[in-house]
């Protein structure tokens, strides 16, 4: 096994970190086509309300996120511990905010028994962790098992959502978001 901070192990660490960050972009921009490449075909996900394979996770997210107008995952502490050359345990701290559109009661019922006004938006603030077993196969690191640990959450009813200023570049939850336009313009 290589040492924890050899050049090859540092490359592994960066590849695993990138894997976590690519998940965040795919989830926040609803890039469902990018998600399968982050997981091994036999991977398992435990998100709490959803437990199962990755095609099922993607369909669950596709349905659940229909009423989420804004989503941002921010990853902070990534602790990567190698079991051997090709297996690692990753604990990623996450700060996440999602805005649920008015009338999102069914989707919110997966998170809480609290009921909100049908005319208000609801913001979910969460501090959670992904506990990932990642594995390198054929030279590529992917998630083999993901477990979401929900450490803290707060739901806030927002009766009046302020509008963006005219001319502001507003993020989108699709492949027309500015990042994808820039990627296309650079040939990425």
């Amino acid at each position: 096994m290589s040492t924890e901070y050899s050049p090859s192990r540092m490359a592994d660490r960066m590849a695993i970190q990138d894997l976590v960050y690519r998940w965040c972009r795919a989830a926040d921009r609803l890039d469902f086509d990018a998600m399968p490449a982050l997981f091994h075909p036999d991977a398992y996900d435990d998100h709490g309300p959803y437990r199962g394979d990755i095609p099922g996770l993607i369909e669950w997210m596709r349905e659940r996120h229909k009423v989420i107008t804004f989503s941002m995952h921010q990853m902070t502490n990534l602790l990567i511990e190698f079991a051997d050359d090709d297996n690692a345990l990753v604990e990623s701290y996450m700060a996440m905010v999602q805005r649920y559109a008015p009338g999102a009661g069914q989707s919110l019922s997966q998170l809480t028994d609290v009921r909100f006004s049908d005319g208000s938006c609801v913001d979910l603030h969460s501090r959670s962790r992904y506990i990932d077993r990642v594995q390198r196969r054929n030279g590529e690191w992917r998630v083999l098992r993901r477990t979401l640990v929900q450490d803290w959450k707060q739901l806030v009813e927002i009766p009046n959502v302020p509008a963006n200023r005219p001319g502001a570049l507003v993020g989108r939850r699709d492949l027309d978001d500015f990042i994808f336009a820039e990627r296309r313009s650079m040939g990425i």
Side-chain angles (χ1 to χ4, degrees), residues 6-17 82 136 141:
S6 67
S8 64
R9 191 48 95 197
M10 290 303 293
D12 291 339
R13 288 178 181 281
M14 296 305 294
I16 292 168
Q17 176 182 295
F82 293 94
R136 177 174 30 205
W141 289 98

Side-chain angles (χ1 to χ4, degrees), residues 159-173:
N160 298 307
V161 175
N164 290 306
R165 295 183 66 67
L169 181 59
V170 178
R172 298 175 54 109
R173 297 210 66 212

Side-chain angles (χ1 to χ4, degrees), residues 17-34:
Q17 176 182 295
D18 190 59
L19 180 68
V20 172
Y21 293 161
R22 286 187 292 135
W23 165 258
C24 294
R25 177 192 282 169
D28 291 339
R29 303 283 69 85
L30 299 177
D31 188 356
F32 299 114
D33 291 339

Side-chain angles (χ1 to χ4, degrees), residues 45-61:
D45 183 276
D46 180 347
H47 249 74
Y50 174 81
R51 291 178 172 99
D53 64 14
I54 303 313
L57 170 69
I58 292 168
E59 288 311 308
W60 174 75
M61 288 184 65

